[in-house]
Amino acid sequence: MALRVFHTLAELRAALAGERRTAFVPTMGNLHEGHLSLIRLARQHGSPVVASIFVNRLQFAPHEDFDTYPRTLERDCALLEEAGCDIVFAPSESELYPQPQGYKVQPPPELADILEGHFRPGFFTGVCTVVLKLFNCVQPRVAVFGKKDYQQLMVIRNMVRQLALPIDIVGGETGRAADGLALSSRNGYLSADERGRAVELSQALGRLRQAALSGLDEAGVARAEAEQMQALQQLGWQPDYVTLRRQADLQSPTAEDLRHGEPLVVLAAARLGTTRLIDNMEV
């Protein structure tokens, strides 16, 4: 069946009436292979597969790239159809937010105000609010999110659990280019020279991951993190963080965690030129 594209909530709800196995992939468009892998993963978990394309103003700070974020709906729909998507929900801002969004989802600060939330205040409130709203629009049984946005995946999982939403959250592995760069819509902002150097971020994470695997105490973690921050700075990056955290809650590992093999993850965010990139690797 050909891909169906809906721009209104009424059309979407009519199309999904009676569906009980819907799988959902929310996106902001400007799609790449990483997004398409999530569509294929969603296909394994339910049907029909619905993707949303909506650039959500609530998760952008005033100085960020909301107005310039690429909007490529026609191209995106062609890619989604090829990947096996059944329905695209592409609402206008006035359709999804017909009045100012006074009701918002405030995630707990111990998870939402660290790492990305520290450098992008209010970001996860915007994410949670739009995702909950999209969940109410689509009413999926399964929703798929990429692990590249590791903290976001954790925030959404906790929201679904704490609000008792009847939705299974599935994490898709990070898609990478041949040189190891994590696929991201914002990679398109990189100049040719910057794109050649962008792999330096994943290389720094790889070195920190290797150090963690070799065995570190708390002082060793601090040294290893500082070394990779400094390495990126010397290469001309402006790093916000390069850090080793517990997978369970993204808090810093304790001495006991390090001794007893607590599952860990390395995460980084850094600016190269004007482009801010994020990445992570589980340990």
Side-chain angles (χ1 to χ4, degrees):
M1 186 183 294
L3 179 74
R4 294 176 287 168
V5 181
F6 301 120
H7 299 285
T8 71
L9 183 51
E11 292 172 321
L12 178 73
R13 284 184 167 153
L16 292 176
E19 296 289 356
R20 294 290 178 265
R21 297 184 60 251
T22 302
F24 178 43
V25 182
T27 84
M28 292 205 303
N30 192 28
L31 303 183
H32 51 68
E33 175 55 32
H35 294 107
L36 303 181
S37 71
L38 301 183
I39 296 294
R40 292 189 286 268
L41 181 58
R43 170 64 66 198
Q44 298 172 28
H45 289 271
S47 178
V49 174
V50 178
S52 62
I53 296 177
F54 181 71
V55 184
N56 177 43
R57 185 186 296 272
L58 294 187
Q59 68 195 66
F60 288 79
H63 66 279
E64 292 183 330
D65 56 341
F66 174 79
D67 290 325
T68 58
Y69 196 88
R71 283 132 169 109
T72 54
L73 180 61
E74 190 173 333
R75 172 185 167 276
D76 291 344
C77 287
L79 292 172
L80 288 168
E81 184 166 29
E82 192 176 328
C85 186
D86 299 301
I87 292 172
V88 171
F89 180 44
S92 65
E93 196 166 17
S94 61
E95 178 69 18
L96 202 59
Y97 297 127
Q99 53 187 238
Q101 189 70 30
Y103 291 86
K104 295 180 181 177
V105 180
Q106 180 68 56
E110 61 269 21
L111 178 58
D113 291 354
I114 62 173
L115 302 174
E116 285 301 284
H118 175 76
F119 289 96
R120 303 180 69 186
F123 172 71
F124 287 114
T125 295
V127 168
C128 288
T129 301
V130 76
V131 169
L132 181 60
K133 195 159 195 177
L134 288 167
F135 283 169
N136 287 332
C137 295
V138 177
Q139 299 191 349
R141 187 186 68 80
V142 173
V144 180
F145 293 80
K147 284 188 179 182
K148 187 184 81 71
D149 297 291
Y150 202 88
Q151 187 176 5
Q152 173 178 279
L153 173 61
M154 183 174 292
V155 168
I156 296 299
R157 274 195 170 132
N158 287 353
M159 179 182 77
V160 165
R161 182 168 56 248
Q162 290 196 13
L163 296 181
L165 302 180
I167 303 169
D168 292 332
I169 302 298
V170 175
E173 296 300 326
T174 300
R176 295 187 181 275
D179 64 356
L181 176 66
L183 300 180
S184 168
S185 297
R186 288 187 168 96
N187 291 350
Y189 296 159
L190 297 168
S191 69
D193 174 65
E194 289 168 345
R195 173 59 190 87
R197 297 172 50 212
V199 69
E200 293 163 355
L201 185 64
S202 63
Q203 290 170 345
L205 276 177
R207 290 191 296 269
L208 181 55
R209 179 179 183 274
Q210 217 35 59
L213 287 170
S214 69
L216 295 171
D217 58 15
E218 286 178 288
V221 169
R223 278 195 305 273
E225 290 174 338
E227 284 169 6
Q228 298 314 319
M229 287 279 285
Q230 186 176 26
L232 286 173
Q233 288 167 342
Q234 290 173 342
L235 290 166
W237 291 71
Q238 298 169 274
D240 287 338
Y241 57 85
V242 183
T243 188
L244 177 70
R245 298 296 176 101
R246 294 191 300 230
Q247 288 184 25
D249 57 9
L250 296 187
Q251 299 300 309
S252 297
T254 65
E256 187 174 347
D257 293 333
L258 295 167
R259 281 197 304 271
H260 292 97
E262 174 76 17
L264 303 173
V265 58
V266 292
L267 308 103
R271 197 174 298 277
L272 182 59
T274 59
T275 305
R276 186 175 184 274
L277 302 177
I278 67 171
D279 198 356
N280 68 81
M281 298 174 185
E282 293 178 329
V283 178

